[in-house]
Amino acid sequence: MAVNQIPVTVRGAELLKEELQRLRAVDRPNIIQAIAEARAQGDLSENAEYESAKERQSFIEGRISEVEAKLSNLQVIDPTNLNAEGRVVFGATVRFEDLDSGDAKTYQIVGEDEADIKNGKISVSSPIARGLIGKSEGEVAEVQSPGGVKEYEIIEVLYI
């Protein structure tokens, strides 16, 4: 993987494309309209709506540039096509157990833009993901956490 490539799942790439489409087709025209309406109110030097709309426009244009740059550097990884022989890799879904508490958790390891802990997706750069990557079912991963080292036994690795 080249230094500038950004790993992402197929779904993550779709979400970025959808966001870019929304920014260009909906958000940008809406803010242009808001600026035009604020400008029509007269004196721009004391026009809070105009200033707010210009700030929002700046944010939208910046986000469009950011998403375009990310899309041009994506390395799309389809977990269903992986043959990692049971090892934890980017895109894998991992079920593991905290050896201290006995709690079992299931997470998919995804790109930074896709991470959503509530929906079972953790960033590849997170401490848990870094500790799990490269391990196989039955192995114990040690993860440095704020409360000290945590041990997780890998129960199952899925490529779904």
Side-chain angles (χ1 to χ4, degrees), residues 56-132:
R56 180 86 177 120
Q57 180 185 36
S58 176
F59 172 79
I60 289 169
E61 294 302 327
R63 184 63 184 157
I64 288 172
S65 295
E66 183 181 340
V67 173
E68 286 173 339
K70 284 181 181 183
L71 285 170
S72 69
N73 291 314
L74 289 186
Q75 178 186 18
V76 180
I77 298 171
D78 184 351
T80 61
N81 293 334
L82 294 176
N83 183 13
E85 300 171 357
R87 284 182 298 113
V88 178
V89 294
F90 179 89
T93 299
V94 187
R95 192 162 61 95
F96 58 92
E97 180 181 323
D98 183 328
L99 293 181
D100 290 335
S101 67
D103 292 341
K105 296 180 180 163
T106 303
Y107 290 121
Q108 181 182 22
I109 298 174
V110 297
E112 291 183 17
D113 287 324
E114 303 171 81
D116 182 356
I117 195 110
K118 291 178 185 167
N119 288 315
K121 297 179 184 296
I122 58 172
S123 168
V124 67
S125 60
S126 70
I128 292 176
R130 288 195 318 258
L132 294 172

Side-chain angles (χ1 to χ4, degrees), residues 7 16-17 43 51 58 63 65 81 111 138 157:
L16 279 173
K17 289 175 187 172
D43 186 8
E51 290 301 319
S58 176
R63 184 63 184 157
S65 295
N81 293 334
V157 180

